[in-house]
Amino acid sequence: MKCKKCGGKAVINMRQHNMGLCKDDFLQWLPEQTQKFIEKYKMFTPDEKILVAVSGGKDSLALWDMLNILGYKADGLYIALGIDEGISYSSESQRLTEEFANARDLNLHIVNMASDYGTDLPTLAKETRRGRDKPCSSCGLVKRHEMNRIARDFGYDVLATGHNLDDEAATLFSNTLQWNGDYLIRQHPVLAERDGLARKVKPLFRFYEREMAAYTLLRGIEYIYDECPFAVGSTSTQYKEILNQLENEHPGAKIHFFTKFLSAKKKGLFAEPTTKIVPELHICPTCGQPTSGQDVCTFCRMMEKSGQ
Amino acid sequence: MENTATIVLRNQKYEVKAGSTILAALNKLEILPESIICVRDGELVTEDVILRKGEIIKLVSVISGG
Ligand code: SF4
Ligand SMILES: [Zn+2]
Ligand SMILES: [Zn+2]
């Protein structure tokens, strides 16, 4: 297969764009596209301070790498969750993240569940009813809380995550299967700042997962290849496989599913609810973050019960 | 079985016919091309390349959960 730009040997075929690219052109194209979508969706400007949530996985490291190449001021945040379960998942991903940051002289914040809160994710998940069969929901809660905390404490304007198109399409698929209206209304590559929470952006939302894997490989970025042990067999992985089957038969199915959802929303095809589905927010007396409950937030309650 | 190439995905090894494309081998093995990228001698290649006798193609799984 030939590169669409220079006629050289293509290393990747992006059937949804009907385009194969060689190494050099792909490594130029991806950051250029990222820049284009950062501007189009007004994600952030070069003057703003960006905090990138890095997990040691391919997407977040690739995102941090590109923001750096594009000249943005982006620091990293790694949250050490203490998920080891026999494969040293967390310690290995932390090592790779630190190596990445050191090699490029980038600034990395590390939150450590063990030393900061005296617990770890597997323990938390076992202790809470919501987490017992679903560590991911406790994990999501912890990550959101800690990202917001670091962003606020260190004065970041915007929080960037490495969600790619496959992640977004799988989430959309899940929310659609359940007609999760409040999530559908809110699912967007940019969430404006509100109630003292930083703006949240997903600069990779247009790229397929395999493009991100290709980028990290071509850039020689070492990332954690093993999946989180709790992700194995998860519904989001199942949805990704189903969407990939569709994509295989109909190239572009995934990107259309998501981008047509965004344009339908823009045209007002998803109306704001007539009854209030978003609860009023209060400030958690312990951590100061907005919460829907009257008392301490779920995160602080979870931490009170655990550890310390 | 001389005329074969090897495809490796995680801990799995598959012997496939040399002389046809990676894509044909993937279809036979029921591996979705969307879910992987192919590496030959450390270099990324597209699925339309022809498998050479005796070579090893490493597949990198691209799906990550969480
Ligand atoms: S798979 Fe679940 S538990 Fe593992 S890192 Fe992702 S959200 Fe957390
Ligand atoms: Zn080219
Ligand atoms: Zn709190």
Side-chain angles (χ1 to χ4, degrees):
Chain A
M1 164 154 223
K2 288 207 164 105
C3 170
K4 194 164 187 172
K5 306 228 164 172
C6 73
K9 195 164 121 245
V11 294
I12 185 164
N13 179 16
M14 295 178 281
R15 292 201 299 157
Q16 78 278 22
H17 301 309
N18 207 351
M19 176 167 77
L21 290 178
C22 70
K23 177 177 177 179
D24 290 349
D25 281 312
F26 180 71
L27 287 180
Q28 197 178 343
W29 179 82
L30 207 76
E32 265 172 22
Q33 290 290 306
T34 306
Q35 175 61 24
K36 191 176 117 190
F37 289 110
I38 289 170
E39 286 170 15
K40 180 169 175 201
Y41 285 84
K42 300 194 171 53
M43 292 188 182
F44 41 75
T45 65
D47 308 323
E48 289 184 299
K49 269 180 76 183
I50 305 161
L51 182 63
V52 185
V54 275
S55 66
K58 65 181 189 315
D59 304 290
S60 53
L61 290 179
L63 172 61
W64 202 10
D65 184 60
M66 278 203 273
L67 293 180
N68 198 25
I69 290 176
L70 292 167
Y72 288 103
K73 286 181 281 199
D75 294 347
L77 165 62
Y78 179 84
I79 303 172
L81 297 158
I83 303 176
D84 283 312
E85 318 296 293
I87 60 160
S88 304
Y89 176 76
S90 285
S91 36
E92 185 60 10
S93 54
Q94 177 168 354
R95 183 186 68 79
L96 291 166
T97 306
E98 286 177 332
E99 260 182 34
F100 178 94
N102 291 340
R104 291 160 183 78
D105 217 1
L106 296 171
N107 192 14
L108 176 66
H109 299 268
I110 294 181
V111 169
N112 191 309
M113 293 301 287
S115 52
D116 297 358
Y117 295 100
T119 185
D120 56 44
L121 187 81
T123 309
L124 279 180
K126 268 184 230 127
E127 284 168 353
T128 44
R129 209 175 329 125
R130 61 183 278 157
R132 201 164 299 150
D133 28 53
K134 281 194 252 162
C136 297
S137 74
S138 305
C139 186
L141 185 94
V142 167
K143 286 187 206 156
R144 266 194 308 280
H145 189 276
E146 293 304 279
M147 287 190 292
N148 286 327
R149 178 172 72 84
I150 300 294
R152 180 194 64 191
D153 289 358
F154 292 87
Y156 288 96
D157 301 293
V158 50
L159 242 167
T161 55
H163 294 91
N164 57 45
L165 191 122
D166 294 59
D167 296 321
E168 293 304 298
T171 302
L172 177 60
F173 191 55
S174 162
N175 287 337
T176 306
L177 284 180
Q178 308 185 47
W179 292 116
N180 231 329
D182 39 350
Y183 286 109
L184 288 169
I185 285 277
R186 277 174 51 81
Q187 192 181 357
H188 200 267
V190 184
L191 289 181
E193 43 273 287
R194 61 174 192 125
D195 307 309
L197 298 179
R199 186 183 330 139
K200 296 199 172 78
V201 300
K202 299 170 178 173
L204 307 181
F205 82 100
R206 282 295 209 116
F207 303 123
Y208 281 6
E209 193 135 45
R210 70 194 294 272
E211 282 142 42
M212 299 321 302
Y215 181 84
T216 47
L217 186 106
L218 293 171
R219 290 278 297 157
I221 297 170
E222 243 203 286
Y223 64 92
I224 183 105
Y225 182 50
D226 282 320
E227 269 191 281
C228 170
F230 297 125
V232 177
S234 67
T235 44
S236 72
T237 309
Q238 268 174 21
Y239 292 157
K240 282 183 176 180
E241 281 165 7
I242 293 171
L243 291 167
N244 275 343
Q245 280 165 17
L246 263 179
E247 181 74 25
N248 197 40
E249 302 289 320
H250 309 283
K254 287 188 292 192
I255 199 165
H256 290 149
F257 180 50
F258 190 66
T259 55
K260 288 184 179 181
F261 159 71
L262 290 183
S263 53
K265 225 164 42 157
K266 207 172 165 195
K267 287 186 202 137
L269 294 179
F270 290 75
E272 284 293 325
T274 47
T275 50
K276 213 165 166 40
I277 52 175
V278 182
E280 258 180 68
L281 296 178
H282 305 268
I283 294 297
C284 166
T286 309
C287 68
Q289 284 195 27
T291 163
S292 54
Q294 293 289 344
D295 202 14
V296 292
C297 72
T298 325
F299 176 86
C300 291
R301 213 178 319 127
M302 211 157 81
M303 292 308 153
E304 270 167 24
K305 276 203 220 138
S306 186
Q308 314 174 334
Chain B
M1 287 297 281
E2 277 298 279
N3 200 23
T4 58
T6 309
I7 288 188
V8 184
L9 175 59
R10 294 196 187 269
N11 300 320
Q12 291 280 353
K13 270 191 188 153
Y14 306 94
E15 291 293 312
V16 296
K17 209 169 96 236
S20 53
T21 63
I22 297 182
L23 187 62
L26 292 178
N27 287 339
K28 248 222 175 99
L29 298 170
E30 297 186 359
I31 295 171
L32 282 176
E34 267 307 304
S35 66
I36 51 100
I37 52 177
C38 322
V39 182
R40 165 191 269 169
D41 298 330
E43 303 278 333
L44 190 61
V45 291
T46 50
E47 302 78 53
D48 62 342
V49 306
I50 307 279
L51 288 161
R52 297 177 200 139
K53 190 171 142 183
E55 75 172 341
I56 297 173
I57 299 282
K58 201 180 139 222
L59 304 182
V60 179
S61 164
V62 303
I63 298 189
S64 59

PDB file of all heavy atoms in Angstrom, chain A residues 3-8 21-25, ligand 2:
ATOM      1  N   CYS A   3       1.632   5.483   0.419  1.00  0.00           N
ATOM      2  CA  CYS A   3       1.289   6.666   1.210  1.00  0.00           C
ATOM      3  C   CYS A   3       0.537   7.644   0.323  1.00  0.00           C
ATOM      4  O   CYS A   3       0.965   7.943  -0.788  1.00  0.00           O
ATOM      5  CB  CYS A   3       2.565   7.312   1.750  1.00  0.00           C
ATOM      6  SG  CYS A   3       2.308   8.932   2.495  1.00  0.00           S
ATOM      7  N   LYS A   4      -0.584   8.141   0.843  1.00  0.00           N
ATOM      8  CA  LYS A   4      -1.421   9.041   0.042  1.00  0.00           C
ATOM      9  C   LYS A   4      -0.731  10.381  -0.210  1.00  0.00           C
ATOM     10  O   LYS A   4      -1.009  11.064  -1.181  1.00  0.00           O
ATOM     11  CB  LYS A   4      -2.755   9.277   0.754  1.00  0.00           C
ATOM     12  CG  LYS A   4      -3.807   9.920  -0.130  1.00  0.00           C
ATOM     13  CD  LYS A   4      -5.187   9.792   0.468  1.00  0.00           C
ATOM     14  CE  LYS A   4      -6.243  10.277  -0.511  1.00  0.00           C
ATOM     15  NZ  LYS A   4      -7.601   9.983  -0.014  1.00  0.00           N
ATOM     16  N   LYS A   5       0.189  10.763   0.696  1.00  0.00           N
ATOM     17  CA  LYS A   5       0.830  12.076   0.549  1.00  0.00           C
ATOM     18  C   LYS A   5       2.061  12.013  -0.350  1.00  0.00           C
ATOM     19  O   LYS A   5       2.237  12.876  -1.201  1.00  0.00           O
ATOM     20  CB  LYS A   5       1.236  12.632   1.915  1.00  0.00           C
ATOM     21  CG  LYS A   5       0.075  12.669   2.891  1.00  0.00           C
ATOM     22  CD  LYS A   5      -0.059  13.988   3.602  1.00  0.00           C
ATOM     23  CE  LYS A   5      -1.459  14.022   4.215  1.00  0.00           C
ATOM     24  NZ  LYS A   5      -1.783  15.068   5.083  1.00  0.00           N
ATOM     25  N   CYS A   6       2.927  11.000  -0.132  1.00  0.00           N
ATOM     26  CA  CYS A   6       4.202  11.040  -0.855  1.00  0.00           C
ATOM     27  C   CYS A   6       4.416   9.846  -1.783  1.00  0.00           C
ATOM     28  O   CYS A   6       5.404   9.806  -2.510  1.00  0.00           O
ATOM     29  CB  CYS A   6       5.360  11.122   0.147  1.00  0.00           C
ATOM     30  SG  CYS A   6       5.634   9.580   1.016  1.00  0.00           S
ATOM     31  N   GLY A   7       3.506   8.866  -1.737  1.00  0.00           N
ATOM     32  CA  GLY A   7       3.680   7.709  -2.607  1.00  0.00           C
ATOM     33  C   GLY A   7       4.658   6.676  -2.092  1.00  0.00           C
ATOM     34  O   GLY A   7       4.862   5.637  -2.715  1.00  0.00           O
ATOM     35  N   GLY A   8       5.260   6.950  -0.937  1.00  0.00           N
ATOM     36  CA  GLY A   8       6.178   5.974  -0.323  1.00  0.00           C
ATOM     37  C   GLY A   8       5.409   4.794   0.258  1.00  0.00           C
ATOM     38  O   GLY A   8       4.206   4.649   0.035  1.00  0.00           O
ATOM     39  N   LEU A  21      -0.747   6.040   5.137  1.00  0.00           N
ATOM     40  CA  LEU A  21       0.336   7.019   5.282  1.00  0.00           C
ATOM     41  C   LEU A  21       1.637   6.312   5.645  1.00  0.00           C
ATOM     42  O   LEU A  21       1.633   5.273   6.318  1.00  0.00           O
ATOM     43  CB  LEU A  21       0.002   8.049   6.367  1.00  0.00           C
ATOM     44  CG  LEU A  21      -1.107   9.064   6.082  1.00  0.00           C
ATOM     45  CD1 LEU A  21      -1.309   9.964   7.302  1.00  0.00           C
ATOM     46  CD2 LEU A  21      -0.794   9.923   4.855  1.00  0.00           C
ATOM     47  N   CYS A  22       2.756   6.906   5.202  1.00  0.00           N
ATOM     48  CA  CYS A  22       4.063   6.395   5.586  1.00  0.00           C
ATOM     49  C   CYS A  22       4.383   6.912   6.985  1.00  0.00           C
ATOM     50  O   CYS A  22       3.664   7.743   7.528  1.00  0.00           O
ATOM     51  CB  CYS A  22       5.128   6.847   4.592  1.00  0.00           C
ATOM     52  SG  CYS A  22       5.473   8.617   4.677  1.00  0.00           S
ATOM     53  N   LYS A  23       5.470   6.408   7.550  1.00  0.00           N
ATOM     54  CA  LYS A  23       5.836   6.782   8.915  1.00  0.00           C
ATOM     55  C   LYS A  23       5.917   8.307   9.089  1.00  0.00           C
ATOM     56  O   LYS A  23       5.283   8.885   9.966  1.00  0.00           O
ATOM     57  CB  LYS A  23       7.166   6.118   9.272  1.00  0.00           C
ATOM     58  CG  LYS A  23       7.666   6.498  10.649  1.00  0.00           C
ATOM     59  CD  LYS A  23       8.950   5.783  11.033  1.00  0.00           C
ATOM     60  CE  LYS A  23       9.408   6.291  12.399  1.00  0.00           C
ATOM     61  NZ  LYS A  23      10.616   5.652  12.882  1.00  0.00           N
ATOM     62  N   ASP A  24       6.711   8.958   8.234  1.00  0.00           N
ATOM     63  CA  ASP A  24       6.921  10.403   8.410  1.00  0.00           C
ATOM     64  C   ASP A  24       5.626  11.185   8.261  1.00  0.00           C
ATOM     65  O   ASP A  24       5.363  12.112   9.030  1.00  0.00           O
ATOM     66  CB  ASP A  24       7.951  10.921   7.401  1.00  0.00           C
ATOM     67  CG  ASP A  24       9.341  10.407   7.727  1.00  0.00           C
ATOM     68  OD1 ASP A  24       9.509   9.842   8.840  1.00  0.00           O
ATOM     69  OD2 ASP A  24      10.243  10.543   6.881  1.00  0.00           O
ATOM     70  N   ASP A  25       4.831  10.818   7.268  1.00  0.00           N
ATOM     71  CA  ASP A  25       3.600  11.573   7.054  1.00  0.00           C
ATOM     72  C   ASP A  25       2.577  11.312   8.158  1.00  0.00           C
ATOM     73  O   ASP A  25       1.839  12.213   8.542  1.00  0.00           O
ATOM     74  CB  ASP A  25       3.025  11.283   5.665  1.00  0.00           C
ATOM     75  CG  ASP A  25       3.777  12.082   4.598  1.00  0.00           C
ATOM     76  OD1 ASP A  25       3.963  13.301   4.814  1.00  0.00           O
ATOM     77  OD2 ASP A  25       4.214  11.494   3.595  1.00  0.00           O
TER      78      ASP A  25
HETATM   79 ZN    ZN C   2       4.412   9.671   2.898  1.00  0.00          ZN
END
